[in-house]
Amino acid sequence: MKIITDVKNFQTMAHKERAKGKKTALVPTMGFFHEGHLSLIRYAKKQADTVYVSLFVNPTQFGPNEDLDTYPRDEARDKTLAKEAGADVLFCPDKSSIYAPDHGTWVEVPTLARHLCGKSRPAFFRGVATVCSILFNLALPQIAVFGEKDWQQLTLIRKLIRDMHLPVEIKSCPIVREADGLAMSSRNACLTQKERTIAPFLYKGLLYAEELAKTGMQETSALQDALTAFYSQYMPHGELDYADFMNPQTISPVKKVSGPVLVAVAMKLGKTRLIDNIII
Ligand code: AMP
């Protein structure tokens, strides 16, 4: 596996791969790899000849009071894991090579960023859409692979690709969970022992909402009340940001469960913000 830090070197290498007729796939990440990331890399390897994994803790998607400085990092371990999972190139640029000091171009998909994480993290999706556009331009991949754990992000990237007519096919992989159901996340490493024991209730709440819907509760206002009550009971110290019922494509609220519905939650446990979702 090649490790490239220089933006121009990465772009030149990617152009050469395309010129050779290789099918290439990009897996954008912020590192501190777990099985969720590795599942995307393994999947990409099945789809393409050459797999690029980017490892970049993108500063523009963090708000001023968020965890950019404390975001977990372990580049040495990530290198080993990415190689084992089948990455051909690990692209680890530094902040200043991606963003010029007077960087001034932003990519936004406002219609998909109105709710859920876009509401509580106003700069987040602008940062995500911008860095992904930069990475697509550098890597020129035929395929880019994203996780369903970040459903809103996945939906937004699909729209960005379609609206901008970018020649990239977006593929998604299911959420990888710990044995107790907690969705894997780099941020799980920041949980205290006590928080870690409570964290699986986030997913249990989603399953509870799914069960209620299956047994006839169709109104999302009633489901939301029940889910919120569940979290108050089982995660009383958690600070619930949202527990919402959305159309999975438009990321807008739905009133009734009459087709596929995205149930998405975000909760802060101590200093750590966790998200999860299911489609019911
Ligand atoms: P991150 O490094 O957290 O920005 O995530 C990089 C990619 O990995 C994104 O496409 C995420 O959706 C995906 N990802 C993160 N956690 C998981 C998980 N538990 N299961 C599947 N994909 C994941």
Side-chain angles (χ1 to χ4, degrees), residues 28-30 34 36-37 40 71 146-147 149-150 174-176 184:
T29 82
M30 299 209 298
H34 49 68
H37 296 113
L40 307 188
Y71 194 83
F146 290 84
K149 157 115 189 303
D150 299 86
I175 302 176
V176 178
M184 290 196 182

Side-chain angles (χ1 to χ4, degrees), residues 189-257:
C190 305
L191 295 170
T192 63
Q193 217 173 354
K194 198 171 161 209
E195 288 160 0
R196 177 62 188 82
T197 58
I198 295 159
F201 283 101
L202 202 59
Y203 181 51
K204 290 194 172 84
L206 296 177
L207 295 177
Y208 173 62
E210 182 180 41
E211 198 49 41
L212 290 177
K214 268 188 196 156
T215 51
M217 196 185 274
Q218 300 278 294
E219 302 287 336
T220 55
S221 58
L223 287 166
Q224 189 175 39
D225 287 347
L227 182 54
T228 309
F230 179 96
Y231 288 138
S232 310
Q233 183 177 352
Y234 293 103
M235 307 178 85
H237 303 298
E239 201 184 305
L240 189 63
D241 178 1
Y242 60 75
D244 285 337
F245 294 73
M246 296 279 167
N247 176 308
Q249 262 73 51
T250 60
I251 316 290
S252 54
V254 288
K255 288 201 157 72
K256 262 193 151 168
V257 183

Side-chain angles (χ1 to χ4, degrees), residues 2-280:
K2 252 191 231 162
I3 294 166
I4 302 183
T5 53
D6 184 80
V7 166
K8 283 278 164 270
N9 287 349
F10 181 62
Q11 195 165 38
T12 306
M13 180 278 309
H15 277 259
K16 282 188 186 153
E17 285 297 297
R18 281 293 289 246
K20 279 191 234 162
K22 299 277 190 201
K23 189 163 186 188
T24 62
L26 172 71
V27 183
T29 82
M30 299 209 298
F32 208 72
F33 293 152
H34 49 68
E35 275 300 315
H37 296 113
L38 303 179
S39 73
L40 307 188
I41 301 173
R42 289 188 200 111
Y43 175 80
K45 192 62 187 173
K46 285 194 197 137
Q47 303 283 316
D49 302 312
T50 311
V51 174
Y52 309 137
V53 177
S54 62
L55 195 174
F56 180 60
V57 183
N58 174 37
T60 62
Q61 69 190 64
F62 288 81
N65 299 316
E66 293 179 0
D67 59 347
L68 174 62
D69 294 335
T70 54
Y71 194 83
R73 291 168 169 86
D74 188 344
E75 228 177 276
R77 181 173 161 274
D78 284 348
K79 284 174 186 165
T80 310
L81 292 175
K83 187 177 169 190
E84 283 170 8
D88 296 287
V89 176
L90 187 67
F91 175 49
C92 342
D94 61 27
K95 179 185 156 195
S96 58
S97 56
I98 293 289
Y99 296 111
D102 59 346
H103 177 92
T105 305
W106 299 101
V107 181
E108 292 192 74
V109 190
T111 52
L112 291 183
R114 273 201 294 262
H115 299 286
L116 308 181
C117 289
K119 199 168 177 182
S120 44
R121 305 182 70 192
F124 177 63
F125 285 119
R126 184 181 88 150
V128 169
T130 301
V131 79
C132 286
S133 302
I134 294 170
L135 291 169
F136 295 150
N137 284 330
L138 292 174
L140 302 175
Q142 274 105 333
I143 295 170
V145 186
F146 290 84
E148 291 166 11
K149 157 115 189 303
D150 299 86
W151 185 274
Q152 189 176 16
Q153 166 176 288
L154 170 66
T155 311
L156 188 137
I157 296 294
R158 284 194 201 281
K159 192 167 201 128
L160 160 69
I161 294 285
R162 199 214 52 193
D163 289 353
M164 301 306 285
H165 300 273
L166 295 179
V168 183
E169 189 184 349
I170 301 300
K171 301 274 196 181
S172 73
C173 292
I175 302 176
V176 178
R177 299 182 178 281
E178 301 286 356
D180 58 12
L182 176 64
M184 290 196 182
S185 163
S186 305
R187 287 190 172 97
N188 291 352
C190 305
L191 295 170
T192 63
Q193 217 173 354
K194 198 171 161 209
E195 288 160 0
R196 177 62 188 82
T197 58
I198 295 159
F201 283 101
L202 202 59
Y203 181 51
K204 290 194 172 84
L206 296 177
L207 295 177
Y208 173 62
E210 182 180 41
E211 198 49 41
L212 290 177
K214 268 188 196 156
T215 51
M217 196 185 274
Q218 300 278 294
E219 302 287 336
T220 55
S221 58
L223 287 166
Q224 189 175 39
D225 287 347
L227 182 54
T228 309
F230 179 96
Y231 288 138
S232 310
Q233 183 177 352
Y234 293 103
M235 307 178 85
H237 303 298
E239 201 184 305
L240 189 63
D241 178 1
Y242 60 75
D244 285 337
F245 294 73
M246 296 279 167
N247 176 308
Q249 262 73 51
T250 60
I251 316 290
S252 54
V254 288
K255 288 201 157 72
K256 262 193 151 168
V257 183
S258 52
V261 171
L262 168 73
V263 189
V265 296
M267 184 184 285
K268 228 170 158 194
L269 273 182
K271 290 185 176 143
T272 309
R273 188 171 185 278
L274 302 176
I275 60 169
D276 201 348
N277 71 78
I278 53 169
I279 307 276
I280 63 172

